[in-house]
Amino acid sequence: NAAVMITLWLYFVLKLVLEMLLSSTSTVTKYYFGWDSRLSGLFMAFMAMLMFPCNFFLAKLSQTFEDRELIVWALVLMLVSVVGILDYNADDYFVIQYIVFAIGIFLSTNSLEGPNMGLLSKTIPKSWAKGTFNSGFLATEAGTLARSVGDVLISFVAGTLGLGMVLNGMFVPMALLVGISLLLVRKFFNQLTDMDDDTDDDTASIASMDTAGSLRGITLVSDKKHVTFGGEKD
């Protein structure tokens, strides 16, 4: 099921990008702008407050556009934001650049989660919705893995490249991942849709036919045994 695999991949990518942003905010802002923990906390609180109008706007858009269309636009915004936040000139990296594109990353990742999980719930096979390894478990584990990978990458980049390269070291790979994700969505765009109800009906019909055939077979066997028993009795 391509739709399920892509939605789980997108969930991993958005959680990874979001973790890279949030976990590095205090370090990046202190290195580039000299912010203390109070200013960094206020900035993150401001970003969190923007989710209320963003979710309201997304709910309005979901009434007009399909989930897959919203996913494409969220990925485009995420890619633009990740590319825009990169440090192209260390001597002229302005605070407004970081603020604008950090907000873009935060809003795009959170906006992507809604239609992505909505699409997952619509395309998940019924067999995947049962048991321990269901869709909710898989999504949770994908998010946990993404956060763990993000923390490891931040530590690796900071320890290997130094603080001067931590911003580019984190978000250049993220730009590549988001770009690949966008290409995958465009390639399988026609498959990112609700499961066809007719398919479920056909499956149910085939199962009913198989059951009916089995019952007829049991009846015939029973009749043969009855005739044989009657012949021996005569």
Side-chain angles (χ1 to χ4, degrees), residues 142-196:
T144 302
L145 178 62
R147 286 186 286 269
S148 300
V149 171
D151 292 336
V152 171
L153 285 177
I154 293 173
S155 300
F156 175 78
V157 171
T160 304
L161 303 179
L163 293 179
M165 291 295 296
V166 68
L167 194 63
N168 289 354
M170 290 187 304
F171 287 107
V172 168
M174 296 303 101
L176 294 176
L177 284 180
V178 176
I180 292 172
S181 301
L182 187 57
L183 291 176
L184 286 174
V185 171
R186 294 303 302 171
K187 180 178 181 180
F188 296 98
F189 186 78
N190 292 331
Q191 300 182 36
L192 301 179
T193 185
D194 300 359
M195 290 186 66
D196 191 359

Coordinates of all heavy atoms in Angstrom, one line a residue, residues 142-196:
A142 N 7.3 5.8 14.5 CA 8.0 6.6 13.5 C 8.3 8.0 14.1 O 9.4 8.5 13.9 CB 7.1 6.8 12.3
G143 N 7.4 8.6 14.9 CA 7.7 9.9 15.5 C 8.8 9.8 16.6 O 9.7 10.6 16.7
T144 N 8.8 8.7 17.4 CA 9.8 8.5 18.4 C 11.2 8.3 17.7 O 12.2 8.8 18.2 CB 9.5 7.3 19.3 OG1 8.2 7.5 19.9 CG2 10.5 7.0 20.3
L145 N 11.2 7.5 16.7 CA 12.5 7.3 15.9 C 13.0 8.6 15.4 O 14.2 8.9 15.4 CB 12.3 6.3 14.8 CG 13.5 6.0 14.0 CD1 14.6 5.4 14.8 CD2 13.1 5.0 12.8
A146 N 12.1 9.4 14.8 CA 12.5 10.7 14.3 C 13.1 11.6 15.3 O 14.1 12.3 15.1 CB 11.3 11.4 13.6
R147 N 12.5 11.7 16.5 CA 13.1 12.6 17.5 C 14.4 12.1 18.0 O 15.3 12.8 18.3 CB 12.1 12.6 18.7 CG 10.8 13.5 18.4 CD 10.0 13.7 19.6 NE 9.2 12.5 19.9 CZ 8.0 12.2 19.4 NH1 7.4 13.1 18.6 NH2 7.4 11.1 19.7
S148 N 14.6 10.7 18.1 CA 15.8 10.2 18.5 C 16.9 10.5 17.5 O 18.0 10.9 17.8 CB 15.7 8.7 18.7 OG 14.7 8.4 19.7
V149 N 16.6 10.3 16.2 CA 17.6 10.5 15.1 C 17.9 12.0 15.1 O 19.1 12.4 14.9 CB 17.0 10.1 13.8 CG1 17.9 10.5 12.6 CG2 16.8 8.6 13.7
G150 N 16.9 12.9 15.3 CA 17.2 14.3 15.3 C 18.2 14.7 16.4 O 19.1 15.5 16.2
D151 N 18.0 14.2 17.6 CA 18.9 14.5 18.7 C 20.3 14.0 18.5 O 21.3 14.7 18.8 CB 18.3 13.9 20.0 CG 17.1 14.6 20.5 OD1 16.8 15.8 20.1 OD2 16.3 14.0 21.2
V152 N 20.4 12.8 17.9 CA 21.7 12.3 17.6 C 22.4 13.1 16.5 O 23.6 13.4 16.6 CB 21.6 10.8 17.1 CG1 22.9 10.3 16.5 CG2 21.1 9.9 18.2
L153 N 21.7 13.5 15.5 CA 22.2 14.4 14.4 C 22.7 15.7 14.9 O 23.8 16.2 14.5 CB 21.2 14.6 13.3 CG 21.0 13.4 12.4 CD1 19.9 13.7 11.3 CD2 22.2 12.9 11.6
I154 N 21.9 16.3 15.8 CA 22.3 17.6 16.4 C 23.7 17.5 17.1 O 24.6 18.3 17.0 CB 21.2 18.2 17.3 CG1 20.0 18.5 16.4 CG2 21.7 19.4 18.0 CD1 18.8 19.0 17.3
S155 N 23.7 16.4 18.0 CA 25.0 16.2 18.7 C 26.1 15.9 17.8 O 27.3 16.4 18.0 CB 24.8 15.1 19.7 OG 23.7 15.3 20.6
F156 N 25.9 15.1 16.8 CA 27.0 14.8 15.8 C 27.5 16.0 15.1 O 28.7 16.2 15.0 CB 26.5 13.7 14.9 CG 27.5 13.3 13.8 CD1 28.6 12.5 14.1 CD2 27.4 13.8 12.5 CE1 29.5 12.2 13.1 CE2 28.3 13.5 11.5 CZ 29.3 12.7 11.9
V157 N 26.6 16.8 14.6 CA 26.9 18.0 13.8 C 27.7 19.0 14.7 O 28.7 19.5 14.3 CB 25.7 18.6 13.1 CG1 26.0 20.0 12.5 CG2 25.1 17.7 12.1
A158 N 27.1 19.2 15.9 CA 27.8 20.2 16.7 C 29.2 19.7 17.2 O 30.1 20.5 17.3 CB 26.9 20.5 18.0
G159 N 29.3 18.5 17.4 CA 30.6 17.9 17.9 C 31.6 17.8 16.7 O 32.8 17.9 17.0
T160 N 31.1 17.6 15.5 CA 32.0 17.3 14.4 C 32.4 18.6 13.6 O 33.5 18.9 13.4 CB 31.4 16.3 13.4 OG1 31.1 15.1 14.1 CG2 32.4 16.0 12.3
L161 N 31.4 19.4 13.3 CA 31.6 20.6 12.5 C 31.7 21.9 13.3 O 32.2 22.9 12.8 CB 30.4 20.8 11.5 CG 30.1 19.6 10.6 CD1 28.9 19.9 9.7 CD2 31.3 19.3 9.7
G162 N 31.3 21.8 14.6 CA 31.4 23.0 15.4 C 30.1 23.9 15.3 O 29.3 23.7 14.4
L163 N 30.0 24.8 16.2 CA 28.7 25.6 16.3 C 28.6 26.5 15.0 O 27.5 26.9 14.6 CB 28.7 26.5 17.5 CG 28.6 25.7 18.8 CD1 28.7 26.7 20.0 CD2 27.3 24.9 18.9
G164 N 29.7 26.9 14.4 CA 29.6 27.8 13.2 C 29.0 27.1 12.0 O 28.5 27.8 11.2
M165 N 28.9 25.8 12.0 CA 28.3 25.0 10.9 C 27.1 24.2 11.3 O 26.6 23.4 10.5 CB 29.4 24.1 10.3 CG 30.5 24.8 9.5 SD 29.9 25.7 8.1 CE 29.3 24.3 7.1
V166 N 26.7 24.5 12.6 CA 25.6 23.6 13.1 C 24.3 23.9 12.3 O 23.5 22.9 12.0 CB 25.4 23.8 14.6 CG1 24.9 25.2 14.9 CG2 24.5 22.8 15.2
L167 N 24.0 25.1 11.9 CA 22.8 25.4 11.2 C 22.7 24.7 9.8 O 21.8 24.0 9.5 CB 22.6 26.9 11.1 CG 21.2 27.4 10.6 CD1 20.2 27.1 11.7 CD2 21.3 28.9 10.4
N168 N 23.8 24.9 9.1 CA 23.8 24.3 7.7 C 24.0 22.8 7.8 O 23.4 22.0 7.0 CB 24.9 24.8 6.9 CG 24.7 26.3 6.5 OD1 23.6 26.8 6.7 ND2 25.7 26.9 5.8
G169 N 24.7 22.3 8.8 CA 24.9 20.9 9.0 C 23.6 20.2 9.3 O 23.5 19.0 9.0
M170 N 22.7 20.9 10.0 CA 21.4 20.2 10.3 C 20.4 20.3 9.2 O 19.8 19.3 8.8 CB 20.8 20.9 11.6 CG 21.5 20.7 12.9 SD 20.6 21.4 14.3 CE 20.4 23.1 13.7
F171 N 20.3 21.5 8.6 CA 19.2 21.7 7.7 C 19.5 21.4 6.2 O 18.5 21.3 5.4 CB 18.7 23.1 7.8 CG 17.9 23.3 9.1 CD1 18.5 24.0 10.2 CD2 16.7 22.7 9.3 CE1 17.8 24.2 11.4 CE2 16.0 22.9 10.5 CZ 16.5 23.6 11.5
V172 N 20.7 21.3 5.8 CA 21.0 20.9 4.4 C 20.5 19.5 4.2 O 19.8 19.2 3.2 CB 22.5 21.0 4.1 CG1 22.8 20.3 2.8 CG2 22.9 22.5 4.0
P173 N 20.8 18.5 5.1 CA 20.2 17.1 4.9 C 18.7 17.2 5.0 O 18.0 16.4 4.3 CB 20.8 16.3 6.1 CG 22.1 17.1 6.5 CD 21.8 18.5 6.2
M174 N 18.1 18.1 5.8 CA 16.7 18.1 5.9 C 16.1 18.6 4.6 O 15.0 18.2 4.2 CB 16.3 19.1 7.1 CG 16.7 18.6 8.5 SD 16.1 16.9 8.9 CE 17.5 15.9 8.6
A175 N 16.7 19.6 4.0 CA 16.2 20.1 2.7 C 16.2 18.9 1.7 O 15.3 18.8 0.9 CB 17.1 21.2 2.2
L176 N 17.2 18.1 1.7 CA 17.3 16.9 0.8 C 16.1 16.0 1.1 O 15.5 15.5 0.2 CB 18.6 16.2 0.9 CG 19.8 17.0 0.4 CD1 21.1 16.2 0.6 CD2 19.7 17.4 -1.1
L177 N 15.9 15.7 2.4 CA 14.8 14.8 2.7 C 13.4 15.3 2.3 O 12.6 14.6 1.8 CB 14.8 14.5 4.2 CG 15.9 13.6 4.8 CD1 15.8 13.4 6.3 CD2 15.8 12.2 4.1
V178 N 13.2 16.6 2.6 CA 11.9 17.2 2.2 C 11.8 17.2 0.7 O 10.7 16.9 0.2 CB 11.8 18.6 2.8 CG1 10.5 19.3 2.3 CG2 11.9 18.6 4.3
G179 N 12.8 17.5 -0.1 CA 12.8 17.5 -1.5 C 12.4 16.1 -2.0 O 11.6 15.9 -2.9
I180 N 13.1 15.0 -1.4 CA 12.8 13.7 -1.8 C 11.3 13.3 -1.5 O 10.6 12.7 -2.3 CB 13.7 12.7 -1.1 CG1 15.2 12.9 -1.7 CG2 13.3 11.2 -1.3 CD1 16.2 12.1 -0.9
S181 N 10.9 13.8 -0.4 CA 9.5 13.5 0.1 C 8.5 14.1 -0.9 O 7.5 13.5 -1.3 CB 9.2 14.0 1.5 OG 10.1 13.4 2.4
L182 N 8.8 15.3 -1.3 CA 7.9 16.0 -2.3 C 7.9 15.3 -3.6 O 6.8 15.2 -4.2 CB 8.4 17.5 -2.5 CG 7.5 18.4 -3.3 CD1 6.1 18.5 -2.8 CD2 8.1 19.8 -3.4
L183 N 9.0 14.8 -4.1 CA 9.0 14.0 -5.3 C 8.2 12.7 -5.2 O 7.5 12.3 -6.1 CB 10.5 13.7 -5.7 CG 11.3 14.9 -6.1 CD1 12.8 14.5 -6.4 CD2 10.8 15.6 -7.4
L184 N 8.3 12.1 -4.0 CA 7.6 10.8 -3.8 C 6.1 11.1 -3.8 O 5.3 10.3 -4.4 CB 8.0 10.2 -2.5 CG 9.3 9.5 -2.4 CD1 9.6 9.1 -1.0 CD2 9.4 8.3 -3.4
V185 N 5.7 12.2 -3.2 CA 4.2 12.5 -3.2 C 3.7 12.8 -4.6 O 2.6 12.4 -5.0 CB 4.0 13.7 -2.3 CG1 2.6 14.3 -2.4 CG2 4.2 13.3 -0.8
R186 N 4.5 13.5 -5.4 CA 4.1 13.8 -6.8 C 4.1 12.6 -7.6 O 3.2 12.4 -8.5 CB 5.1 14.8 -7.4 CG 5.1 16.2 -6.8 CD 3.7 16.9 -6.8 NE 3.2 17.0 -8.1 CZ 1.9 17.3 -8.4 NH1 1.1 17.6 -7.5 NH2 1.5 17.4 -9.7
K187 N 5.0 11.6 -7.4 CA 5.0 10.4 -8.2 C 3.8 9.5 -7.9 O 3.2 8.9 -8.8 CB 6.3 9.7 -7.9 CG 6.4 8.4 -8.7 CD 7.7 7.7 -8.4 CE 7.8 6.4 -9.2 NZ 9.1 5.7 -9.0
F188 N 3.4 9.4 -6.6 CA 2.3 8.6 -6.2 C 1.1 9.4 -5.8 O 0.2 8.9 -5.1 CB 2.7 7.7 -5.0 CG 3.8 6.8 -5.2 CD1 5.2 7.1 -4.9 CD2 3.6 5.5 -5.8 CE1 6.2 6.2 -5.2 CE2 4.6 4.6 -6.1 CZ 5.9 5.0 -5.8
F189 N 0.9 10.5 -6.4 CA -0.1 11.4 -6.1 C -1.5 10.8 -6.3 O -2.4 10.9 -5.5 CB 0.0 12.7 -6.9 CG -1.0 13.8 -6.5 CD1 -0.8 14.6 -5.4 CD2 -2.2 14.0 -7.3 CE1 -1.8 15.5 -5.0 CE2 -3.1 15.0 -6.9 CZ -2.9 15.8 -5.8
N190 N -1.7 10.1 -7.4 CA -3.0 9.5 -7.8 C -3.3 8.4 -6.8 O -4.5 8.0 -6.7 CB -2.9 9.0 -9.2 CG -2.9 10.1 -10.2 OD1 -3.3 11.2 -10.0 ND2 -2.2 9.8 -11.4
Q191 N -2.4 7.8 -6.1 CA -2.6 6.7 -5.2 C -2.9 7.2 -3.8 O -3.4 6.4 -2.9 CB -1.5 5.7 -5.1 CG -1.2 5.1 -6.5 CD 0.0 4.1 -6.4 OE1 0.1 3.4 -5.4 NE2 0.8 4.0 -7.4
L192 N -2.7 8.5 -3.6 CA -2.9 9.1 -2.2 C -4.4 9.6 -2.1 O -4.7 10.7 -2.1 CB -2.0 10.3 -2.0 CG -0.5 10.0 -2.1 CD1 0.3 11.2 -1.8 CD2 -0.1 8.9 -1.1
T193 N -5.3 8.6 -2.1 CA -6.7 8.9 -2.0 C -7.4 7.8 -1.1 O -6.8 6.8 -0.7 CB -7.3 8.9 -3.4 OG1 -8.7 9.3 -3.3 CG2 -7.2 7.5 -4.1
D194 N -8.7 8.1 -0.8 CA -9.4 7.2 0.0 C -9.5 5.8 -0.6 O -9.5 5.6 -1.9 CB -10.8 7.7 0.2 CG -10.8 9.0 0.9 OD1 -9.7 9.5 1.2 OD2 -11.9 9.6 1.1
M195 N -9.6 4.8 0.2 CA -9.7 3.4 -0.3 C -11.1 3.3 -1.0 O -12.1 3.9 -0.5 CB -9.7 2.4 0.9 CG -8.3 2.2 1.4 SD -8.2 0.9 2.7 CE -8.5 -0.5 1.6
D196 N -11.1 2.6 -2.1 CA -12.4 2.5 -2.9 C -13.3 1.6 -2.1 O -13.0 0.4 -1.8 CB -12.1 1.9 -4.2 CG -13.3 2.0 -5.2 OD1 -14.3 2.4 -4.7 OD2 -13.1 1.6 -6.3

